[in-house]
Amino acid sequence: MRQYLFILFLFFFLASCSPAPEKTNNDLKPVASDPTLELGKELFFGKCASCHMVNKELTGPALKGAEDRWPDKQKMYAFIRNSDSLIQTDPYAKNLWLQYNQTTMTKHTDLTDEQIRAILDYIKSVAE
């Protein structure tokens, strides 16, 4: 009986010493030390996270798979920079605008192609 209690005690002791499983939120997933992904993460949280998450809708759509949904990548970049200008001429952009309560996206005219690419790469890394 003592052996049984000792083994049981040892089991619970060792279990309590093990680190707790890390709670993860895909949007807070640590990024490997890739400078492009680090830049993308910084830009995502600075420019996108107030309206978007990677795997869940907020004010705007979840961004997982966003590149695959856009039929024209250059139009996607243009939409990110200034959605107003594209909503008037592009059916896909107009449909997004209608789906999300006719809310235009904040203008990000300051973003370069490389910065947008970094954000999209970060989104892909989180979504995987």
Side-chain angles (χ1 to χ4, degrees):
M1 181 68 172
R2 283 186 191 172
Q3 270 185 319
Y4 175 75
L5 289 174
F6 176 75
I7 291 171
L8 191 58
F9 168 79
L10 186 60
F11 171 79
F12 283 112
F13 175 77
L14 291 174
S16 69
C17 292
S18 301
E22 186 178 318
K23 293 180 183 177
T24 59
N25 172 341
N26 280 344
D27 290 326
L28 300 177
K29 181 178 171 183
V31 175
S33 61
D34 179 330
T36 302
L37 293 180
E38 288 291 337
L39 173 62
K41 179 181 180 180
E42 180 182 321
L43 289 167
F44 175 83
F45 283 100
K47 304 259 184 198
C48 312
S50 62
C51 298
H52 298 279
M53 289 181 74
V54 173
N55 294 307
K56 183 174 139 183
E57 288 189 6
L58 286 178
T59 305
L63 296 180
K64 177 181 180 177
E67 279 189 276
D68 298 330
R69 295 189 300 264
W70 272 90
D72 181 324
K73 302 302 178 234
Q74 288 306 312
K75 286 184 179 181
M76 178 184 186
Y77 281 46
F79 186 84
I80 291 168
R81 289 191 180 103
N82 183 359
S83 67
D84 286 334
S85 65
L86 211 55
I87 288 167
Q88 305 305 316
T89 60
D90 184 75
Y92 183 77
K94 186 170 186 169
N95 186 43
L96 273 178
W97 177 70
L98 291 170
Q99 273 184 301
Y100 290 90
N101 300 318
Q102 299 179 11
T103 303
T104 56
M105 202 167 99
T106 302
K107 292 180 182 179
H108 298 293
T109 55
D110 58 320
L111 289 175
T112 65
D113 284 353
E114 293 76 21
Q115 290 172 319
I116 293 172
R117 178 78 259 149
I119 293 168
L120 295 171
D121 287 346
Y122 170 71
I123 290 166
K124 275 185 186 176
S125 76
V126 171
E128 293 174 346

